[in-house]
Amino acid sequence: VADNSVALRITTASGAKVTVTLESNEKGLGVQIDVGDAKLTEEERTAIAGLSKSFQDAVDGLTSVPPKLALGALAKFNTSVLSSVSLEATVGAEGPDRVSFNFQADAGQRSLTVKTVAGSAQINVDASKPSQFGSSQQQTTAINNYLTKFDSAQTRGEGDATLMALFKSGFADLHKSYGDWAPEAKTTTRLGMPAEVHRTMLSGLADFSASINQAPVASNPLQARELDTFSYETSQNTSSSGRPQLDLAITQQQQSSLNASFHRALTPDQKLNLTKDPESQNYAFHQIRDDYSNRTDIAYEDGELAKASFTESSTMSTLVSKFVKGKLVDQSRITPTTQTRTQDLMGLLRAADLTSHRDDTRTPRDQVEAALIRKQEDLAQAVA
């Protein structure tokens, strides 16, 4: 029986299927390669061979202690030759360190499921709409912003650190596995504005949904209904209508929610040790409910960007119930904090001054274009 099992499955554009399986336990390593009855072309062989280092990186990550994900490079395959790539893995003998992964990728979709003893995480990315991709710098900023939010959620809700680390790694890898947009200065609207400047107003990421759900734990044997829980969900959805650069309208929405509950000692110097003995029942039970959403609206009129606005709203709520010797002595609800903010992004666009160098005949054209591209990247950074 294998303690570790990793299976890489590849389907070529012509329909051929190739499976590479690695299995190991304390007695040794087994390797199996199955190509069925398919006859691979030289181009297919080259494309599959090109995945060897990425596969090795993924295996090395999975078998490290603790396991980590390295899937971004594996998803960057030649979609004209290979139609899909998947990786299934289980590492660690039966026990608290056992982790399983299921990664799927094709030309338009990326998905990842991670399961540990603590719970599971799911990430789905829709990479089929390259028109909403941002520049590499824009994407990196957006990914880092999300990773910071995930850390804050894990800290506030006392989520499992190992599962969150895998979730963060998977989220970053999947969003780094598709293409980006290179801002240009050559294509402009009739008033000299870069033709796709609206992309700097979006997140730069492909649409996605992602979630973590930890298995509920009844850590208080005297109060089985008081479960330690952690659930976090986040997503992005983008819709558009109209004709590009004429009357195009885009709406991008992002949401996240945190639901968590946990037990804490009443004071920092007190040790939490809940048993069926009422004398041990001295604790605070925290229940957290947080919601966040934002919306970006963009609209063109007669080929010119006429509207770009951003609105966000957040609500944070905490209920703390304090018990002494098993009896409720205090229950306080921290007043929900609700914040709403709206920003007119057109002000940032005007401040970026993207048309100032166009009529400068003293500066070489390539330098003018480079300066405009830098301005677009700086604008995206300001929006982020």
Side-chain angles (χ1 to χ4, degrees):
V1 177
D3 292 336
N4 304 299
S5 175
V6 182
L8 175 67
R9 294 182 173 83
I10 303 167
T11 302
T12 69
S14 64
K17 299 181 184 297
V18 178
T19 302
V20 181
T21 304
L22 305 178
E23 294 183 332
S24 68
N25 57 23
E26 59 183 8
K27 295 183 179 180
L29 172 70
V31 182
Q32 180 176 332
I33 300 176
D34 181 13
V35 295
D37 297 328
K39 292 186 179 295
L40 301 178
T41 66
E42 188 63 31
E43 189 177 28
E44 290 172 338
R45 290 177 181 274
T46 300
I48 293 172
L51 293 177
S52 59
K53 184 180 185 305
S54 301
F55 182 41
Q56 183 65 59
D57 291 343
V59 171
D60 290 344
L62 295 177
T63 55
S64 64
V65 180
K68 60 183 180 180
L69 300 178
L71 303 174
L74 193 63
K76 292 183 178 180
F77 55 91
N78 186 343
T79 56
S80 66
V81 181
L82 307 180
S83 64
S84 67
V85 172
S86 70
L87 180 69
E88 295 180 38
T90 300
V91 296
E94 291 289 348
D97 297 328
R98 192 169 181 84
V99 182
S100 64
F101 305 84
N102 188 317
F103 167 71
Q104 309 277 341
D106 58 29
Q109 306 292 326
R110 310 282 188 273
S111 69
L112 172 68
T113 300
V114 180
K115 294 182 180 180
T116 72
V117 174
S120 63
Q122 178 77 38
I123 305 169
N124 295 289
V125 175
D126 180 2
S128 64
K129 303 173 185 176
S131 61
Q132 70 186 52
F133 298 170
S135 66
S136 58
Q137 180 188 32
Q138 194 176 355
Q139 290 176 350
T140 298
T141 299
I143 291 171
N144 290 339
N145 286 343
Y146 268 105
L147 298 186
T148 299
K149 290 180 181 180
F150 299 160
D151 283 335
S152 297
Q154 186 263 324
T155 300
R156 177 160 161 76
E158 297 198 354
D160 183 81
T162 300
L163 182 59
M164 180 59 78
L166 292 170
F167 176 75
K168 289 171 57 182
S169 177
F171 183 89
D173 280 353
L174 264 61
H175 280 292
K176 290 177 181 176
S177 69
Y178 53 83
D180 54 22
W181 165 62
E184 294 184 3
K186 296 178 181 178
T187 305
T188 62
T189 64
R190 58 185 175 80
L191 296 182
M193 191 68 68
E196 293 192 310
V197 70
H198 67 270
R199 291 207 195 191
T200 61
M201 308 290 172
L202 303 175
S203 72
L205 300 182
D207 285 347
F208 66 88
S209 63
S211 63
I212 289 183
N213 290 287
Q214 288 181 204
V217 176
S219 62
N220 187 351
L222 207 59
Q223 295 292 341
R225 293 183 179 180
E226 290 179 357
L227 299 176
D228 295 332
T229 63
F230 182 89
S231 176
Y232 182 80
E233 298 180 352
T234 183
S235 64
Q236 173 186 291
N237 295 284
T238 307
S239 60
S240 62
S241 61
R243 296 161 293 178
Q245 314 314 327
L246 292 175
D247 56 355
L248 179 67
I250 301 173
T251 297
Q252 184 171 86
Q253 295 176 291
Q254 297 174 317
Q255 305 87 22
S256 66
S257 64
L258 168 66
N259 292 278
S261 54
F262 51 86
H263 294 79
R264 273 187 186 170
L266 291 174
T267 61
D269 57 346
Q270 178 186 354
K271 184 178 181 181
L272 189 65
N273 183 27
L274 301 176
T275 68
K276 291 185 177 180
D277 183 358
E279 293 295 322
S280 72
Q281 295 287 311
N282 304 299
Y283 64 93
F285 184 57
H286 293 245
Q287 295 171 278
I288 292 174
R289 303 291 183 267
D290 294 348
D291 292 289
Y292 171 83
S293 64
N294 70 47
R295 175 178 174 133
T296 301
D297 289 298
I298 295 170
Y300 281 82
E301 292 181 4
D302 297 328
E304 293 299 324
L305 189 61
K307 176 185 178 182
S309 65
F310 174 82
T311 302
E312 65 178 346
S313 177
S314 63
T315 301
M316 302 177 69
S317 176
T318 305
L319 176 65
V320 181
S321 304
K322 295 183 179 180
F323 295 83
V324 174
K325 295 183 180 181
K327 294 183 178 180
L328 179 65
V329 297
D330 181 61
Q331 191 171 63
S332 59
R333 181 181 297 277
I334 299 177
T335 304
T337 302
T338 301
Q339 295 180 333
T340 301
R341 178 175 70 97
T342 299
Q343 182 177 7
D344 182 5
L345 300 179
M346 293 298 289
L348 291 175
L349 182 63
R350 287 187 286 268
D353 195 17
L354 298 179
T355 61
S356 62
H357 292 290
R358 292 208 168 276
D359 298 326
D360 184 0
T361 58
R362 300 167 298 175
T363 305
R365 175 56 53 187
D366 58 345
Q367 294 182 27
V368 170
E369 292 173 352
L372 288 172
I373 291 172
R374 283 196 303 272
K375 284 189 174 186
Q376 289 187 69
E377 293 176 341
D378 289 343
L379 175 61
Q381 196 73 13
V383 172

